[in-house]
Amino acid sequence: MPANSRFDDDEYFDALLHAAAQHTDPVRTVPLPEPQDPDVLLDDAQRGLEQLGSMQRWWRSMRGPLLLPSTPGPFGVAAGVFVLILVGLIGVVFVTRNRSLPAPPPVYGAPAILDLKEPDRAPPPASTRLRFLSSMISGNPDTLPDEPYTFVRTQIWDADLSRTPPPSTVTPAVEALWWNANRSGARIHVDLPPEPAGTAVIPDERSTRAVLAAADPTVFPPGHLAPLLPDPPTSPALLAGQLDYHNGSKTPQGLIRAIVEMCQWQALNPNQRAALLQVLSDVQGLVDLGDVTDRAGRPGFAVALDSTDADNRHRDVLIFDAHDGRLLDYERILLSLPARPDIPTPSLESYVVFLTATRVDAIRLP
Amino acid sequence: MSDRQPHDRPWFRALYPGWHSKVSRFVTRSVPIKETAEDLTNETFQRVWECREKIPDEQDRQIPYVLGIARNVVKDYLRKHRQELAELVDVVEFESVPSGDGDIAQRVADELDMRRAFGRLGRNDQILLWQYYCDEATAEELARQFGTTVDAVYKRVERARERLRRQLKRNNVLEGRPIHVRRS
């Protein structure tokens, strides 16, 4: 076999990696520390705290558990003072030189928010429309091919709020996932070229196909993929129970996010979609925002839920096809984020555009 | 009135065994020296005790928090002892590919190359792959532990695998080259 192509054989590559991980794992050769008597440990901790000087105690209380070193040290203090003076001087020079220039407007790298219709009055609850659509599609024939692999293709984007200042461009990604009943499969994740803020380009199918075809899939051996609800039930009560298990926060918005994650794995048949709509119809606070066109240009209707998480407010929006109940798009909008005045609100926080969900005979692009 | 459970000694005693198994594995993998790993594990729990009031009540959120403290303890240690650790690293030597042609020699050479490439991954990626391949931790467990999503875990695993694959390909551009290995 040529020198390099054998590393493209995922089975061979995985066997090598497995062996290397086993061989290099330190816990194979270094004995793990034994648990101590917790009381002795705590007595030591208490004594250590009492021996600290007042300055050190102040530092520890200021630094929190995660971010800063245990003691600043004389060099750390001197460096801190030096940096503060330097920053102050640079600031004075900068302000003096640029006094006449207006500050450039901050650019926040998020796609534009979808053009959702703002109703004149309070939007109606979504339950009526969801129940109606559920009853319409329940019992429809299953048109999914009878093939072993579930194939889901999505385009996704998430705001990177960890960076200060936040990024000024938008970098979405396309994902393709194949999996079958023995939890084996493959996944391709490709970042698309950065786009200017305020845009959200969904490449046509041909371009996406070319991007995916050029990327190497990561192949997962049997048992290595863990789909959320491998076989979603068609009973709304059962589905609600199973989704609730994956709804860590036990909140309505947590349920919506569990549904979105499930749909990133699943090609649902009409009865499963009907059950899903029934479950959603019971979500308190979910409102009908009416007809909308999603990012891929497909008509649908939007339902939305506003929620508060700590001091932050979010809006979770789901867009469904009004005829067959397929989930087309999920958007999360940041309505307020008091801790980050550099992030404009409202602005988009995340989107998942569901482009394909079907069943295929093998790990190849349909 | 708050329903928060008091974070006192009984609370710590109850949670310590579960936390210890995770922290001790993490610390040993980060600093694989028995006595040091013991000290760092104990120091982690002393710091956990110091900031016990900040530890969440939800068990799912406790492990990411405690491991965050362990990561910081390890980082502090590495920063202070960089030179000593550098001297512990084995001298790089040359080892030739086992003689003879055929699949076995190739496989042995590839395994050695993979170990070397693995050794060049960042420690965080190595720990992730050890947990994934050796502990057979599921993505859900890892996501809970790192305080992230299942998807993010898969992406991290994929990125680490991709780095390994690129490095192996780069190393194998010249066939019949000597293999650099660390003395075990």
Side-chain angles (χ1 to χ4, degrees):
Chain A
M1 200 181 281
N4 278 336
S5 59
R6 64 183 179 282
F7 298 124
D8 291 326
D9 176 350
D10 279 291
E11 200 177 328
Y12 184 70
F13 180 85
D14 252 323
L16 290 178
L17 176 51
H18 202 272
Q22 293 280 357
H23 187 270
T24 54
D25 189 356
V27 301
R28 281 180 65 243
T29 50
V30 180
L32 290 174
E34 293 289 326
Q36 305 287 306
D37 178 342
D39 283 319
V40 173
L41 202 63
L42 297 186
D43 288 342
D44 285 349
Q46 204 57 44
R47 267 195 299 279
L49 271 179
E50 284 160 10
Q51 283 166 8
L52 288 177
S54 57
M55 183 71 185
Q56 282 171 309
R57 271 204 294 271
W58 172 80
W59 175 257
R60 286 202 177 197
S61 69
M62 289 299 289
R63 76 193 180 99
L66 300 178
L67 297 177
L68 299 172
S70 54
T71 50
F75 289 114
V77 173
V81 171
F82 177 74
V83 167
L84 280 177
I85 292 171
L86 195 65
V87 167
L89 283 174
I90 291 172
V92 168
V93 170
F94 184 80
V95 168
T96 313
R97 285 196 175 179
N98 296 286
R99 193 174 290 157
S100 57
L101 295 176
V107 176
Y108 172 52
I113 296 176
L114 271 183
D115 188 16
L116 298 166
K117 285 175 191 161
E118 288 291 340
D120 297 336
R121 52 193 170 80
S127 53
T128 312
R129 189 163 190 169
L130 291 170
R131 285 197 189 116
F132 174 74
L133 182 57
S134 171
S135 66
M136 290 289 288
I137 62 174
S138 176
N140 281 0
D142 182 359
T143 54
L144 288 171
D146 186 17
E147 300 289 0
Y149 283 92
T150 300
F151 172 71
V152 181
R153 184 166 63 91
T154 50
Q155 179 162 324
I156 56 178
W157 175 83
D158 285 299
D160 181 1
L161 300 180
S162 63
R163 285 164 58 184
T164 309
S168 59
T169 54
V170 180
T171 307
V174 284
E175 279 205 348
L177 170 73
W178 296 259
W179 64 277
N180 72 9
N182 70 3
R183 317 283 175 91
S184 68
R187 184 195 291 258
I188 301 176
H189 175 98
V190 188
D191 284 343
L192 294 173
E195 304 162 3
T199 56
V201 178
I202 307 291
D204 60 30
E205 193 163 345
R206 202 168 151 188
S207 312
T208 309
R209 198 184 159 85
V211 167
L212 290 171
D216 290 331
T218 300
V219 175
F220 296 89
H224 277 235
L225 282 172
L228 195 86
L229 306 198
D231 188 15
T234 53
S235 148
L238 279 180
L239 180 62
Q242 294 188 11
L243 284 167
D244 188 58
Y245 175 78
H246 293 280
N247 173 7
S249 61
K250 306 292 178 204
T251 56
Q253 66 271 24
L255 174 68
I256 288 178
R257 291 167 199 172
I259 286 172
V260 172
E261 194 174 341
M262 179 187 77
C263 290
Q264 286 180 273
W265 285 94
Q266 295 293 345
L268 299 176
N269 65 35
N271 286 335
Q272 289 169 322
R273 292 199 296 267
L276 173 60
L277 295 169
Q278 279 286 345
V279 171
L280 268 177
S281 71
D282 290 333
V283 172
Q284 291 295 314
L286 194 68
V287 294
D288 184 349
L289 293 186
D291 296 339
V292 66
T293 302
D294 85 340
R295 292 186 188 277
R298 300 168 296 186
F301 70 95
V303 296
L305 176 82
D306 287 2
S307 60
T308 302
D309 161 23
D311 292 334
N312 312 321
R313 288 178 56 237
H314 307 267
R315 177 170 295 160
D316 291 80
V317 181
L318 296 165
I319 300 174
F320 289 97
D321 185 306
H323 301 289
D324 62 14
R326 272 183 307 132
L327 179 60
L328 302 175
D329 198 342
Y330 165 71
E331 313 259 324
R332 188 156 74 238
I333 299 166
L334 196 54
L335 298 175
S336 76
L337 185 66
R340 290 290 300 271
D342 56 332
I343 308 284
T345 52
S347 60
L348 198 67
E349 195 180 355
S350 170
Y351 74 65
V352 182
V353 182
F354 295 87
L355 296 168
T356 311
T358 185
R359 297 183 70 80
V360 292
D361 62 343
I363 298 177
R364 59 171 170 246
L365 290 167
Chain B
M1 198 163 73
S2 167
D3 294 336
R4 196 171 153 84
Q5 186 186 357
H7 289 188
D8 50 11
R9 282 186 177 234
W11 167 83
F12 183 88
R13 271 198 293 267
L15 291 169
Y16 174 72
W19 289 345
H20 183 273
S21 63
K22 291 200 161 51
V23 168
S24 62
R25 285 179 96 78
F26 170 78
V27 170
T28 304
R29 282 170 167 161
S30 303
V31 185
I33 305 167
K34 182 174 178 284
E35 294 74 17
T36 310
E38 272 174 11
D39 291 346
L40 296 180
T41 303
N42 289 344
E43 190 179 338
T44 298
F45 285 112
Q46 289 176 359
R47 288 213 203 162
V48 168
W49 179 247
E50 281 174 29
C51 57
R52 58 192 177 279
E53 292 308 329
K54 292 181 182 168
I55 293 180
D57 280 335
E58 300 86 332
Q59 292 208 346
D60 273 5
R61 290 172 58 204
Q62 286 172 348
I63 279 297
Y65 202 90
V66 170
L67 285 177
I69 294 174
R71 255 190 290 279
N72 202 41
V73 167
V74 166
K75 236 187 272 179
D76 267 3
Y77 173 82
L78 294 177
R79 198 163 33 223
K80 287 178 192 158
H81 297 82
R82 201 170 290 143
Q83 187 56 39
E84 291 164 43
L85 289 170
E87 287 164 10
L88 282 175
V89 175
D90 294 327
V91 178
V92 171
E93 64 171 18
F94 285 90
E95 184 179 280
S96 59
V97 179
S99 60
D101 56 358
D103 290 342
I104 293 176
Q106 187 63 71
R107 170 71 185 236
V108 172
D110 285 346
E111 283 198 1
L112 291 172
D113 271 1
M114 177 63 99
R115 281 182 213 166
R116 185 162 61 105
F118 194 98
R120 285 186 178 171
L121 285 180
R123 204 53 160 178
N124 288 340
D125 283 341
Q126 288 181 342
I127 290 172
L128 178 72
L129 292 178
W130 283 324
Q131 289 180 312
Y132 194 72
Y133 283 94
C134 303
D135 300 349
E136 297 186 339
T138 64
E140 282 89 350
E141 289 168 14
L142 293 173
R144 271 199 298 276
Q145 179 181 318
F146 291 116
T148 183
T149 63
V150 171
D151 228 44
V153 168
Y154 280 127
K155 283 174 194 163
R156 277 188 60 189
V157 171
E158 280 170 40
R159 276 199 295 269
R161 284 167 51 95
E162 202 42 49
R163 274 196 288 278
L164 285 171
R165 201 191 299 266
R166 272 202 304 272
Q167 190 154 356
L168 285 172
K169 287 183 173 179
R170 214 168 33 236
N171 291 347
N172 277 268
V173 171
L174 299 172
E175 285 193 288
R177 78 268 174 257
I179 299 175
H180 303 257
V181 293
R182 280 182 178 167
R183 192 185 292 131
S184 57

